[in-house]
Amino acid sequence: MESGAGGGGRAWWTVAEHFQAPLVFYVDAEQEELVFGREDSDLRRIEEHSHTLIQLEAWATAAGQTRVTVVGPPGAQRWLWELLCSLGSGEPGGQARGHAMLQLVRSRPLSWAELAAAGREQHQVGNMSPAA
């Protein structure tokens, strides 16, 4: 699934608008390993399946967090943000939803309809708020 998401049938990475407003946030080492795998072994698969490019950078914060920058279609960015917020939720239902989303993105490419349905509500969980 290479095209779609407002690109008029073009591959998403050929649409300049998908690179103009990256999603930037910070995660701790435990969250990074949970989502992207040990030594980021699942990073490429998550990028491919979520139709995004993701950059991970060690960042000089007091907590030693990783800066995560996500570029791609807005729906894909919102979907990944919702995944991370759900995993970071203090509620068991939210965490269960996050784990289900993580298994989904690891198992197959997400459809454009799935991506478009994401982000209907704004999330801010602990240190998971987007970077300014």
Side-chain angles (χ1 to χ4, degrees), residues 85-99 125:
C85 288
S86 294
L87 287 171
S89 170
E91 299 177 13
Q95 290 177 359
R97 182 171 189 272
H99 284 284
V125 178

Side-chain angles (χ1 to χ4, degrees), residues 10-126:
R10 300 184 313 192
W12 75 262
W13 57 87
T14 65
V15 180
E17 293 82 26
H18 293 164
F19 294 86
Q20 292 177 351
L23 172 63
V24 179
F25 54 92
Y26 298 88
V27 296
D28 61 28
E30 183 178 310
Q31 186 86 343
E32 178 184 356
E33 186 170 324
L34 173 65
V35 175
F36 301 111
R38 187 175 203 105
E39 297 181 11
D40 303 326
S41 59
D42 293 327
L43 176 61
R44 181 167 169 79
R45 181 180 341 162
I46 290 173
E47 285 179 318
E48 290 173 351
H49 289 181
S50 66
H51 313 286
T52 60
L53 294 174
I54 302 169
Q55 179 180 7
L56 304 175
E57 301 175 80
W59 204 251
T61 65
Q65 297 172 313
T66 298
R67 179 180 169 158
V68 181
T69 303
V70 180
V71 296
Q77 289 182 8
R78 284 190 305 268
W79 195 95
L80 288 172
W81 178 246
E82 195 169 309
L83 161 71
L84 289 158
C85 288
S86 294
L87 287 171
S89 170
E91 299 177 13
Q95 290 177 359
R97 182 171 189 272
H99 284 284
M101 292 174 76
L102 185 58
Q103 291 305 317
L104 182 65
V105 75
R106 285 181 175 165
S107 67
R108 66 169 175 79
L110 301 173
S111 71
W112 294 112
E114 289 169 320
L115 296 174
R120 298 286 188 237
E121 49 187 86
Q122 292 293 322
H123 294 278
Q124 281 192 293
V125 178

